Amino acid sequence: MRLTLGPVFYNWPADQWSDFYAGIADEAPVDRVVIGEVVCSKRLPFYQDHIPKAVERLQRGGKEVVLASLGLVTLPRERKMLSDLAESGLPVEVNDLTMLRHLKPGTRFTVGPLVNVYNEGTLGLLAGRGATTVCLPPELGFASVAALTAEGLRLGAEIEIWAFGRLPLAISGRCYHARLAGLTKDSCQFVCDADPDGLAVETLDGQPFLAVNGVQTVSECWANLVGDLTRLAEVGVGSLRLSPHTGDMTEVARLFRSAADSRIGPDEAIAGLAALAPERRFSNGFLFGQFGAEWTH
Amino acid sequence: MNVPELELVCPAGTPAALRAAVDAGAHTVYCGFADETNARNFPGLNFSRDEMAAGAAYAHGAGSKLLVAINTFPRAGAEEIWHRAVDDAQAAGADAVILADLGLLAYAAEHRPGLRRHLSVQAAAANADAITFYAETFGVKRVVLPRVLSVEEITAINRDIDVETEVFVFGGLCVMAEGRCSLSSYATGRSPNMSGACSPASHVVYTEEQGELVSRLGNFTIHKVPRDAPAPYPTLCKGCFSAGGQTGHVFEDPMSLDAAELIPRLAEAGVTALKIEGRQRSRAYVSAVVKSFRRATDAIAAGRPVPVSELAHLTEGQSSTLGAYRKNWR
């Protein structure tokens, strides 16, 4: 099983962002790194100039690098971002179908978890247009994953699963960070930079529930499938996606690598991840529970 | 400025609501089959195959059109259910189907090429490139625009595309990009995208705790109100939560959309059709809303000012919003 490091979803300062990728390039046992802005086009200018250097360093580190496209595209400058990506010469991850219009026929691409790939017909259509790897929507249950993985094997498209990190649950035209600060998206003052893993949202009972990340809503808990890799491997899942968070992502990747290679058992891997950030709650409910937020281990 | 007549697209959750909408002046009604193939899959709603055929005949007899929404995302291993819905919509005499899933669009384009295809709001095609992709790839003739766009952006999109656009003007309001939200699934395990029901009643529990009425969705508290206050339905994104030291409606206040005052601007923006949300609503509600909006579209067609909306009492929570049509909603 391969490991993919997904794009950073959160508003990190440019230096932190660069340091993060330098560490990943040099130390993390991941096969592929998806890099670039998915959540908010207003954040990109802060680190855009750092991207080429990060890409080069990751490639020197033996990683396959894929450029992420924006998740919700509405503005003219956002459409321009996509056309620039299509000209970059690097593989592109499609996170909104708008990107397909910009890719030249015959171009190979990957598909990110924000694209609705729920069934064999959609998977076949995307594979037919050049999709080589498809990260499925995180809300899919195990039966759907098994069916789509079988179809992916038949089509020659690798199926990837969201395996670690806060789950992307929704994207909106509205910025919730701005709303909470009494601002609007257009005048947001980039208040989302205060929350490098998102801002927790609790119920009125004080129960942890969700987190907001600008226009995106993510789960409060961290998806964690490190204890479920045997079942995923059995149905032919080809790749696991790890979503960047603060803390030691290199160690997260090492634990997933060790578990995927059966060098450590599921319990040891779960314990290892818990030890890295004891305050974080885990979930694997979309795949193996009654509802997304559930943790079955 | 001379603008063409706007088509009023009205909800029909039941055969009775369909007749009420047509009688009230709906140019077009939209409905779904009574199963998981449509995004308003609520108990007691929607149409059998025979009812759909009778509904199409009723609409056509009055000079109205009938659209069938097959706008959920087919489940892996069960696409046949959705394919059959497309086949049966054509057999029932539908003027078009409203689809969201790529695979289903491909099926309809290949196997039912004579059946007109509209792109559902659930596909969240929010810019001219995405719309053109669907038009070129699947021959989509009309796109229902997601509720994340301002009037200015809709104007710009219409300049850049060759297909019709339809926009929501009244009713419930998704605050997230439609079809790209798994909040309800996270809390309940039932995916609106696949099963057609957001914040499903099957997972709603009301309890009284310490003098308060608490509404929960799955294990999560969505609202708490004083015991004697009306209990809001726990639609997840309209719930009351705490974040960053504040407590309130983090995502959206319990408002519904009323864009009646924007109809002239939407017409100038090049929009073809105005859509009213509410297939789960009563016959009386549908009739009142359709009559009101028909007066508005007739006024525009005749070059008269749009009458002031008298629908405030019908909006949920007694307050309404212009939503994303107004840029500072964001």
Side-chain angles (χ1 to χ4, degrees):
Chain A
M1 231 184 262
R2 307 214 299 162
L3 295 183
T4 297
L5 186 74
V8 174
F9 274 170
Y10 305 92
N11 183 1
W12 290 1
D15 289 343
Q16 179 185 349
W17 188 95
S18 289
D19 291 348
F20 172 76
Y21 283 110
I24 294 294
D26 297 348
E27 296 169 26
V30 297
D31 304 283
R32 175 171 42 217
V33 178
V34 187
I35 190 169
E37 187 57 45
V38 173
V39 173
C40 180
S41 63
K42 290 181 70 177
R43 296 173 181 172
L44 182 63
F46 291 112
Y47 64 90
Q48 190 161 22
D49 294 344
H50 298 242
I51 293 176
K53 216 169 173 180
V55 169
E56 192 200 340
R57 185 143 176 187
L58 288 161
Q59 287 174 331
R60 258 191 289 130
K63 276 67 169 164
E64 178 190 343
V65 179
V66 178
L67 297 180
S69 67
L70 197 64
L72 177 62
V73 181
T74 59
L75 305 172
R77 70 175 155 79
E78 295 170 343
R79 291 166 66 192
K80 173 77 167 43
M81 273 169 68
L82 300 199
S83 62
D84 290 348
L85 277 184
E87 300 297 321
S88 69
L90 283 168
V92 173
E93 173 172 284
V94 173
N95 286 305
D96 178 306
L97 293 176
T98 307
M99 192 67 220
L100 291 182
R101 172 117 171 99
H102 293 277
L103 294 173
K104 290 191 184 70
T107 307
R108 299 221 183 240
F109 59 92
T110 66
V111 176
L114 305 188
V115 175
N116 284 338
V117 182
Y118 282 94
N119 54 64
E120 296 88 339
T122 296
L123 180 60
L125 189 124
L126 291 170
R129 290 182 74 104
T132 53
T133 298
V134 175
C135 182
L136 295 178
E139 75 159 353
L140 283 177
F142 186 67
S144 286
V145 168
L148 290 171
T149 304
E151 183 68 2
L153 289 171
R154 198 181 69 78
L155 295 165
E158 178 186 57
I159 296 298
E160 182 169 293
I161 299 295
W162 186 275
F164 181 84
R166 285 183 156 170
L167 294 148
L169 298 177
I171 192 153
S172 174
R174 168 179 271 177
C175 175
Y176 304 110
H177 258 101
R179 178 173 160 84
L180 280 162
L183 302 166
T184 67
K185 185 180 171 190
D186 289 344
S187 63
C188 69
Q189 299 175 22
F190 301 97
V191 289
C192 55
D193 69 359
D195 300 296
D197 292 298
L199 172 63
V201 176
E202 295 182 344
T203 70
L204 295 178
D205 299 322
Q207 183 183 13
F209 187 20
L210 304 167
V212 297
N213 171 34
V215 296
Q216 187 183 44
T217 305
V218 296
S219 61
E220 190 279 336
C221 61
W222 267 249
N224 179 2
L225 301 182
V226 81
D228 305 299
L229 300 185
T230 308
R231 290 181 73 186
L232 296 175
E234 273 168 10
V235 297
V237 168
S239 176
L240 303 170
R241 173 163 300 216
L242 315 178
S243 183
H245 280 286
T246 59
D248 192 346
M249 281 303 296
T250 295
E251 186 58 24
V252 170
R254 284 192 190 119
L255 286 162
F256 268 90
R257 184 72 270 155
S258 297
D261 296 343
S262 302
R263 281 185 276 115
I264 59 174
D267 292 340
E268 188 183 344
I270 291 169
L273 286 170
L276 287 177
E279 74 286 0
R280 292 178 184 173
R281 278 162 290 276
F282 295 139
S283 75
N284 64 346
F286 276 134
L287 274 146
F288 299 108
Q290 299 296 310
F291 57 99
E294 194 179 352
W295 173 239
T296 66
H297 292 285
Chain B
M1 182 177 174
N2 199 16
V3 291
E5 185 172 11
L6 289 160
E7 178 184 333
L8 198 55
V9 181
C10 305
T14 61
L18 181 147
R19 291 191 296 273
V22 169
D23 294 350
H27 300 110
T28 300
V29 288
Y30 66 101
C31 340
F33 290 119
D35 59 29
E36 70 221 276
T37 63
N38 85 92
R40 287 289 181 280
N41 178 26
F42 300 144
L45 275 197
N46 299 315
F47 289 64
S48 70
R49 266 50 180 178
D50 288 345
E51 287 168 341
M52 193 65 83
Y58 191 87
H60 293 158
S64 303
K65 290 180 180 158
L66 178 128
L67 314 179
V68 179
I70 309 170
N71 57 348
T72 49
F73 294 85
R75 203 167 59 247
E79 288 171 285
E80 165 63 21
I81 297 168
W82 280 259
H83 294 169
R84 212 166 52 232
V86 171
D87 300 346
D88 293 348
Q90 186 172 42
D95 296 283
V97 284
I98 309 170
L99 309 176
D101 180 63
L102 287 177
L104 193 59
L105 282 157
Y107 172 85
E110 185 181 346
H111 296 275
R112 302 285 153 189
L115 180 59
R116 186 177 155 102
R117 291 173 292 285
H118 292 185
L119 189 70
S120 170
V121 71
Q122 298 298 116
N127 64 76
D129 294 323
I131 291 166
T132 302
F133 164 75
Y134 284 102
E136 288 179 351
T137 312
F138 306 113
V140 163
K141 297 293 188 211
R142 179 184 294 181
V143 174
V144 186
L145 294 178
R147 284 165 275 195
V148 299
L149 299 168
S150 66
V151 177
E152 292 80 2
E153 286 161 2
I154 292 169
T155 306
I157 284 173
N158 275 320
R159 274 200 297 266
D160 284 353
I161 62 173
D162 296 326
V163 296
E164 300 170 356
T165 53
E166 177 174 311
V167 300
F168 281 91
V169 288
F170 195 79
L173 176 77
C174 271
V175 60
M176 307 301 177
E178 296 90 341
R180 308 187 70 183
C181 176
S182 37
L183 290 175
S184 182
S185 172
Y186 181 69
T188 72
R190 286 193 65 202
S191 156
N193 273 0
M194 286 188 282
S195 70
C198 173
S199 306
S202 54
H203 290 69
V204 171
V205 178
Y206 293 96
T207 56
E208 204 181 303
E209 293 170 17
Q210 293 157 356
E212 289 183 310
L213 192 58
V214 178
S215 51
R216 288 202 174 82
L217 185 68
N219 296 338
F220 301 99
T221 295
I222 307 298
H223 292 287
K224 279 185 180 181
V225 295
R227 192 176 50 197
D228 301 327
Y233 187 85
T235 302
L236 202 160
C237 61
K238 312 282 170 61
C240 203
F241 305 107
S242 296
Q246 299 180 51
T247 296
H249 296 100
V250 169
F251 302 104
E252 175 63 302
D253 301 302
M255 291 199 193
S256 69
L257 176 70
D258 182 358
E261 67 177 80
L262 292 180
I263 293 175
R265 289 186 60 206
L266 292 168
E268 285 171 19
V271 163
T272 299
L274 305 178
K275 184 163 210 158
I276 296 167
E277 185 273 347
R279 283 189 281 143
Q280 70 284 17
R281 297 292 195 158
S282 72
R283 192 167 45 161
Y285 171 97
V286 168
S287 181
V289 175
V290 173
K291 278 181 187 153
S292 173
F293 274 89
R294 181 62 193 263
R295 278 195 289 278
T297 58
D298 284 351
I300 286 184
R304 297 193 309 267
V306 172
V308 176
S309 173
E310 67 268 43
L311 297 170
H313 64 287
L314 291 172
T315 55
E316 72 185 285
Q318 280 76 51
S319 56
S320 61
T321 173
L322 294 173
Y325 295 136
R326 200 176 39 108
K327 252 182 125 187
N328 62 0
W329 174 86
R330 294 169 179 167

